[in-house]
Amino acid sequence: MQDDDPPLIAPNAAVDYDAGWGRWGDMIRFSPAPWHRRRLLLAEARRLRFDSVLDVGCGRGEMLQAFGERFPARG
């Protein structure tokens, strides 16, 4: 990309991320990059001792769901 190239998104364009997450559906759950990130984080988590998890980011919560399935709450 060069300095005089037009922006990919117009500067005043409204972006509705909530609508986007709803349309993307299983692409987020099964596409290679997010799947690989979840796999790596879950593998690393098996090596750690923890009582809680905080997922700071955006998305539909697939990472928290995966942690909940692999590491069910104890109590």
Side-chain angles (χ1 to χ4, degrees), residues 44-52 74:
E44 187 65 26
R46 280 194 287 273
R47 301 173 54 208
L48 304 171
R49 292 178 53 197
F50 58 92
D51 294 323
S52 63
R74 296 179 287 267

Side-chain angles (χ1 to χ4, degrees), residues 1 3 13-14 21 31-32 38 42 45 47 53 64-65 69:
M1 185 169 192
D3 291 339
W21 286 114
S31 69
R38 284 191 302 272
L42 291 168
R47 301 173 54 208
V53 174
L64 287 178
Q65 181 179 354
E69 291 169 358

